């Protein structure tokens, strides 16, 4: 059983090299695997499953080829693409995972998260997150026209990058106490998440026992993947052509 984990590709028409790297990854890595987990911020933004662009259509075509190759696809929302809905998942034969989700990986209960909810130092963002994940807010947004939603998404991205430039470095990272809390709550000695763009494998202690927090990398200067062959895990960067 070979599983692959990626996150934070931030696919965007403005960055065609990342999309090309992703299509290459699907063709040469994912198709040969048994499972691909995309743990959020797959897209730079998502304004609804009714949006279609050349990039979205290309991504749908690439992802749809996984199931016939024997690779199961799992998607989790990130803070950028939390409006990905059932329709998109159906179109690409993906299973939408809730955040967090526990899976069995190499004989260990493993917690999968995007990671934004672990950054509890950023109260302002957490308040927004709670609002934006409510069905009422989402219905209100999705009832707007595509053009209105596109303008709104652009406005929100600008406001967020301005707010983040004023935030201290450490509130943009996970809160260690929150990590221990969720891992204990879900009885997991391993956590895999993205979001912070700080790829690393951290040895930690949970409930007095050795545990691990694995942070996936973003696809910017290079691509990142975590691979599990059923026994061993390996976090690797690769060139983006
Ligand atoms: Mn994120």
């Amino acid at each position: 059983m070979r599983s692959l984990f990626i996150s934070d590709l931030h696919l965007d028409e403005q960055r065609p090299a990342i999309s090309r790297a992703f299509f290459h990854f699907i063709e040469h890595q994912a198709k040969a695997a048994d499972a691909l987990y995309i743990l959020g911020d797959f897209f730079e933004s998502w304004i609804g499953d009714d949006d279609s662009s050349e990039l979205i259509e290309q991504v749908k075509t690439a992802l749809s080829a996984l199931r016939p190759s024997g690779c199961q696809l799992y998607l989790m929302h990130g803070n950028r693409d939390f409006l990905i809905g059932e329709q998109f998942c159906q179109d690409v034969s993906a299973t939408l995972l809730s955040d967090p989700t526990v899976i069995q990986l190499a004989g260990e209960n493993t917690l999968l998260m995007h990671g934004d909810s672990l950054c509890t130092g950023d109260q302002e963002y957490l308040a927004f997150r709670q609002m934006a994940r409510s069905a009422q807010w989402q219905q209100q947004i999705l009832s707007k026209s595509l053009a209105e939603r596109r303008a709104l998404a652009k406005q929100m991205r600008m406001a967020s990058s301005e707010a983040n430039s004023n935030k201290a470095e450490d509130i943009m990272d996970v809160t260690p106490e929150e990590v221990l809390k969720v891992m204990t709550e879900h009885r997991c000695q391993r956590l895999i998440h993205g979001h912070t763009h700080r790829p690393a494998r951290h040895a930690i202690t949970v409930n007095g026992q050795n545990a691990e927090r694995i942070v996936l990398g973003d696809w910017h200067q290079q691509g990142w993947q975590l691979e599990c062959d059923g026994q061993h895990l390996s976090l690797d960067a690769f060139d983006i052509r």
Side-chain angles (χ1 to χ4, degrees):
M1 175 86 184
R2 186 164 160 261
S3 307
L4 296 170
F5 300 82
I6 58 174
S7 72
D8 303 279
L9 282 73
H10 295 268
L11 291 181
D12 184 357
E13 258 130 31
Q14 311 299 317
R15 302 192 307 148
I18 309 297
S19 310
R20 275 199 303 276
F22 174 65
F23 298 135
H24 187 270
F25 171 84
I26 290 291
E27 217 36 58
H28 299 275
Q29 296 290 328
K31 276 188 178 175
D34 299 294
L36 171 64
Y37 293 84
I38 306 180
L39 299 185
D41 288 356
F42 179 34
F43 292 97
E44 175 69 2
S45 68
W46 192 263
I47 57 171
D49 294 358
D50 54 339
D51 186 24
S52 74
S53 64
E54 201 186 334
L55 175 62
I56 292 171
E57 291 309 316
Q58 286 171 343
V59 169
K60 279 186 186 170
T61 304
L63 292 180
S64 300
L66 288 175
R67 176 69 73 80
S69 306
C71 178
Q72 286 284 338
L73 175 63
Y74 300 93
L75 290 179
M76 185 178 277
H77 286 145
N79 51 300
R80 302 291 194 130
D81 54 9
F82 60 87
L83 282 177
I84 289 178
E86 281 302 331
Q87 185 60 56
F88 177 77
C89 291
Q90 222 173 62
D91 289 347
V92 299
S93 302
T95 304
L96 189 61
L97 299 177
S98 50
D99 181 0
T101 283
V102 179
I103 62 164
Q104 275 291 313
L105 190 69
E108 187 93 65
N109 278 348
T110 301
L111 192 61
L112 306 180
M113 302 179 79
H114 175 57
D116 54 329
S117 63
L118 295 168
C119 304
T120 57
D122 193 349
Q123 288 296 326
E124 191 189 345
Y125 166 68
L126 288 181
F128 169 78
R129 186 183 197 274
Q130 197 179 359
M131 176 185 74
R133 301 297 171 107
S134 75
Q136 197 194 3
W137 187 89
Q138 295 195 359
Q139 270 158 22
Q140 195 196 329
I141 295 295
L142 292 173
S143 68
K144 294 179 191 294
S145 73
L146 273 171
E148 283 174 305
R149 277 178 270 157
R150 209 165 277 133
L152 194 65
K154 192 175 165 190
Q155 201 186 334
M156 282 166 64
R157 267 206 308 282
M158 277 164 61
S160 139
S161 70
E162 198 183 298
N164 287 347
S165 66
N166 294 322
K167 279 172 192 164
E169 271 288 294
D170 61 337
I171 75 165
M172 304 290 288
D173 202 356
V174 301
T175 308
E177 294 76 19
E178 186 66 16
V179 169
L180 294 183
K181 196 182 122 203
V182 292
M183 290 181 76
T184 304
E185 214 170 274
H186 295 276
R187 301 169 193 271
C188 290
Q189 297 296 115
R190 184 193 288 126
L191 164 65
I192 300 171
H193 72 84
H195 180 65
T196 60
H197 301 193
R198 298 174 196 210
R201 298 184 70 168
H202 300 278
I204 56 175
T205 305
V206 178
N207 288 324
Q209 297 192 341
N210 290 339
E212 189 176 29
R213 177 170 71 93
I214 303 174
V215 189
L216 304 172
D218 60 303
W219 290 33
H220 189 59
Q221 309 290 4
Q222 51 194 353
W224 282 92
Q225 68 164 42
L226 174 71
E227 180 175 351
C228 178
D229 64 4
Q231 281 187 303
H232 304 102
L233 281 80
S234 150
L235 178 66
D236 300 295
F238 48 88
D239 286 342
I240 283 176
R241 279 160 274 215

